[in-house]
C-alpha cells in the first residue's frame, strides 16, 4: 500500500496489524505519510493490534491512530496463546483496551467475522470480562466497564469511520439504528452479558428483526 498516496488524497487507511513488528512497520509508514502531507484528521485504523506493546501506545497517540482491537481472542484462543504461542505476560496483554483508552485513544472492539461469529454480546462480554474458555481471566487490568464496552461498539465506532454525524448515539437527527435487548448490560452481572438476547433490531426506524 502507498501510504503517502493515501494521505495526499485524504483516503482513510484501514489495515490489519496483528504482530508487534507489523505495528512498528505501520507506525513508520503512517509517520512518513503524515510528515509528507500533514493530513491531520486521517483516522487511520489499526485492525487487531493483537500484540500491541506498551511502548507503542504513545506513538499511536502521537499519530492519532484509531485501534480497532480484538479482545474476543481472549475467549476463543486465550488458553492457546498462553500455552503455545505468547505465554505470560504477553498473552495477558492481548488487545490492551484499558491502556489504549487510558492513553486517550478512541478504540473499538470487533469480532472479525467469519473468524468468529458476529455476536455483539460475545464481543461485549470479551471486552468486559476477558475470560478464556477454561475460565481464566486473561489480563484483568485490561478489562473495560460495560458502559465503555458499549461505546466501543457504538459511539466510538461511528467516530472511527467518520460517521459520528448520523450514527453512534441516540440523538435527534441521527439514523434510528438500534436494538432492543431483553436485559440491560449495564445492570446485570457482567459475567452474564454473553447471555443477553436481542429482541428487536431496528434499521433507520424500521424493524428488520424479527420480520
Amino acid at each position: 500500500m502507498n501510504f503517502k498516496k493515501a494521505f495526499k488524497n485524504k483516503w482513510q487507511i484501514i489495515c490489519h496489524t496483528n504482530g508487534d513488528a507489523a505495528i512498528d512497520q505501520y507506525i513508520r509508514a503512517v509517520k512518513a505519510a503524515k510528515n509528507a502531507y500533514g493530513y491531520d484528521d486521517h483516522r487511520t485504523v489499526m485492525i487487531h493490534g493483537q500484540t500491541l506493546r506498551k511502548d507503542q501506545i504513545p506513538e499511536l497517540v502521537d499519530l492519532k491512530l484509531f485501534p480497532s482491537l480484538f479482545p474476543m481472542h481472549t475467549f476463543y484462543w486465550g488458553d492457546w496463546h498462553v500455552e503455545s504461542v505468547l505465554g505470560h505476560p504477553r498473552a495477558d496483554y492481548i488487545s490492551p483496551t484499558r491502556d489504549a483508552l487510558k492513553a486517550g485513544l478512541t478504540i473499538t472492539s470487533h469480532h472479525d467475522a467469519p473468524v468468529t461469529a458476529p455476536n455483539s454480546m460475545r464481543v461485549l462480554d470479551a471486552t468486559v470480562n476477558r475470560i478464556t474458555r477454561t475460565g481464566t481471566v486473561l489480563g484483568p487490568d485490561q478489562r473495560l466497564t460495560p458502559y465503555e464496552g458499549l461505546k466501543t461498539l457504538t459511539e466510538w465506532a461511528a467516530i472511527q469511520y467518520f460517521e459520528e454525524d448520523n450514527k453512534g448515539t441516540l440523538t435527534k437527527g441521527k439514523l434510528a439504528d438500534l436494538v432492543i435487548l431483553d436485559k440491560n448490560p449495564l445492570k446485570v452481572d457482567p459475567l452474564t452479558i454473553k447471555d443477553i438476547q436481542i429482541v428487536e433490531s431496528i434499521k433507520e426506524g424500521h424493524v428488520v428483526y424479527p420480520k
Side-chain angles (χ1 to χ4, degrees):
M1 177 186 292
N2 190 323
F3 280 65
K4 290 184 178 179
K5 183 176 182 180
F7 268 65
K8 181 180 179 180
N9 289 280
K10 296 188 176 181
W11 297 335
Q12 187 182 27
I13 300 171
I14 302 170
C15 184
H16 281 68
T17 54
N18 216 9
D20 59 326
I23 296 170
D24 278 333
Q25 185 178 17
Y26 200 39
I27 288 169
R28 289 194 300 270
V30 173
K31 187 179 295 185
K34 189 175 181 183
N35 288 341
Y37 292 100
Y39 177 24
D40 192 50
D41 193 23
H42 53 92
R43 304 192 198 184
T44 299
V45 181
M46 181 190 73
I47 299 292
H48 290 348
Q50 200 65 27
T51 53
L52 177 66
R53 303 189 311 265
K54 281 180 180 287
D55 66 288
Q56 292 171 323
I57 291 177
E59 296 189 86
L60 302 186
V61 174
D62 289 342
L63 293 172
K64 298 182 181 179
L65 262 69
F66 283 67
S68 182
L69 300 174
F70 195 16
M72 281 185 78
H73 248 269
T74 60
F75 173 71
Y76 283 103
W77 300 286
D79 295 313
W80 175 69
H81 278 298
V82 171
E83 295 165 5
S84 64
V85 182
L86 300 173
H88 295 298
R90 291 190 74 199
D92 301 279
Y93 208 64
I94 287 172
S95 291
T97 49
R98 173 56 62 193
D99 280 359
L101 185 60
K102 189 188 301 182
L105 292 165
T106 300
I107 67 173
T108 58
S109 183
H110 64 266
H111 51 68
D112 201 35
V115 175
T116 62
N119 183 331
S120 294
M121 291 300 103
R122 178 58 79 178
V123 176
L124 182 60
D125 166 70
T127 306
V128 171
N129 294 308
R130 297 179 66 96
I131 293 177
T132 72
R133 290 176 187 258
T134 61
T136 301
V137 178
L138 199 59
D141 59 329
Q142 296 306 314
R143 291 178 292 189
L144 298 188
T145 66
Y147 183 68
E148 292 166 336
L150 284 174
K151 287 172 82 74
T152 70
L153 301 174
T154 55
E155 181 180 2
W156 297 340
I159 294 170
Q160 195 168 90
Y161 296 106
F162 294 92
E163 295 183 326
E164 66 270 26
D165 289 341
N166 57 15
K167 293 182 181 180
T169 59
L170 296 175
T171 305
K172 183 178 179 180
K174 293 189 178 183
L175 295 175
D177 295 351
L178 62 142
V179 294
I180 299 173
L181 306 175
D182 69 343
K183 295 181 181 64
N184 186 342
L186 303 182
K187 294 185 177 181
V188 300
D189 179 344
L191 295 177
T192 67
I193 285 174
K194 67 184 184 303
D195 302 317
I196 292 175
Q197 298 297 307
I198 296 173
V199 178
E200 280 190 14
S201 297
I202 300 167
K203 173 64 178 172
E204 297 182 22
H206 302 284
V207 175
V208 295
Y209 171 82
K211 289 187 177 181

